Amino acid sequence: MPTYASIDQGNTATKLTVWRDSEPIGRLAAKTLSAAAIEAELARHGHIDAGIYCSVGRRDAAHLDVLRAACGTVVELSHSTPLPIELHYSTPHTLGLDRIAAAAGAVAAYPGQRCLVVDIGTAVTYDVAGPDAAFHGGNIAPGAGMRLRALHAYTARLPEVDVDGELPAWGSDTATAMRCGALRGIAGEVGYYRGLLPTDTVVVLTGGRADTIAPLLERPAVVDHDLVGKGLISILRHSLGATQHIKDN
């Protein structure tokens, strides 16, 4: 079975995953992930057939160089990369690469099913991937930390509040009221968007706050922290196949 590597460079953290076919066999994740650490993890797994790099913020050339040195072939995800899904979006060149990858991951993990993909990170994205292997659009909202910082910054007396802490149904002090408003508000949004879709829709949560939000939902959802990575590997395979098709013709 082939071995792949993916680097997902997000707004607040970088995640390296090594895959044996479609299963993760090694991973590193940190707010600041050094090129040396990536190189050591890749070397630990021996030969790697291909890799894919995705960044939604600052492009780290050192990370990309290490990946290129370790892998036989590397794809840097861009808006011109061949995709295994269709994008039903009027401005596909503005669609976040992480949203594309998460939708591709949902299509790969749940073929033939409609998915509501909720990526709960710095921002929260609510995206619909259809049973026709297509991205059908979605919405973007502030993440929990952003909501709390905004409450502090744009009011005279509300304090700075950490996202981590107690989450009662109703806040008994200002700090818990703000935290519950931010996090339970996201949970309410998930329920609202779920209600706009057919009842057989699969709801998949990913991102740094997925485990915090999942217990707050009225109905269960799948938590998959590898969803973006699964999408990157799906895109990588598709891109490699498209390249081979061009060579053959």
Side-chain angles (χ1 to χ4, degrees):
M1 290 186 290
T3 302
Y4 303 119
S6 63
I7 295 179
D8 171 22
Q9 190 159 351
N11 289 305
T12 57
T14 300
K15 184 175 182 180
L16 164 71
T17 308
V18 180
W19 307 77
R20 181 66 44 78
D21 198 21
S22 299
E23 295 298 321
I25 59 172
R27 51 167 60 91
L28 289 175
K31 288 185 177 180
T32 303
L33 196 57
S34 71
I38 292 173
E39 184 177 28
E41 179 64 20
L42 293 174
R44 193 171 70 84
H45 294 279
H47 175 74
I48 296 177
D49 296 279
I52 184 166
Y53 175 87
C54 171
S55 174
V56 298
R58 182 182 62 86
R59 178 180 181 272
D60 195 314
H63 289 179
L64 193 52
D65 287 344
V66 168
L67 193 63
R68 285 174 173 152
C71 302
T73 303
V74 171
V75 171
E76 182 176 2
L77 182 59
S78 71
H79 290 101
S80 61
T81 302
L83 298 174
I85 62 173
E86 293 184 7
L87 302 181
H88 296 173
Y89 206 68
S90 61
T91 56
H93 60 284
T94 70
L95 182 58
L97 297 175
D98 53 340
R99 295 175 68 192
I100 294 172
V107 168
Y110 303 95
Q113 294 181 266
R114 180 178 287 98
C115 295
L116 172 62
V117 180
V118 186
D119 193 340
I120 310 168
T122 303
V124 186
T125 55
Y126 305 91
D127 293 321
V128 180
D132 54 349
F135 177 95
H136 288 280
N139 296 336
I140 305 172
M146 196 181 299
R147 296 175 193 218
L148 290 171
R149 288 192 296 273
L151 285 171
H152 171 64
Y154 292 105
T155 62
R157 295 183 180 276
L158 291 180
E160 291 187 65
V161 174
D162 195 279
V163 177
D164 296 308
E166 293 182 307
L167 287 171
W170 303 100
S172 57
D173 56 51
T174 300
T176 55
M178 291 171 64
R179 183 183 303 112
C180 291
L183 289 162
R184 289 187 176 275
I186 292 172
E189 289 173 14
V190 176
Y192 170 76
Y193 288 122
R194 181 200 291 262
L196 297 180
L197 296 166
T199 56
D200 61 350
T201 298
V202 178
V203 179
V204 188
L205 308 185
T206 192
R209 289 291 167 183
D211 290 318
T212 305
I213 297 300
L216 305 179
L217 301 178
E218 291 185 1
R219 288 185 285 178
V222 178
V223 175
D224 189 346
H225 291 291
D226 289 318
L227 189 68
V228 170
K230 289 174 181 176
L232 291 175
I233 296 306
S234 175
I235 292 168
L236 174 61
R237 285 174 159 165
H238 182 81
S239 182
L240 294 174
T243 301
Q244 186 61 47
H245 177 74
I246 291 171
K247 289 180 179 178
D248 292 343
N249 288 275

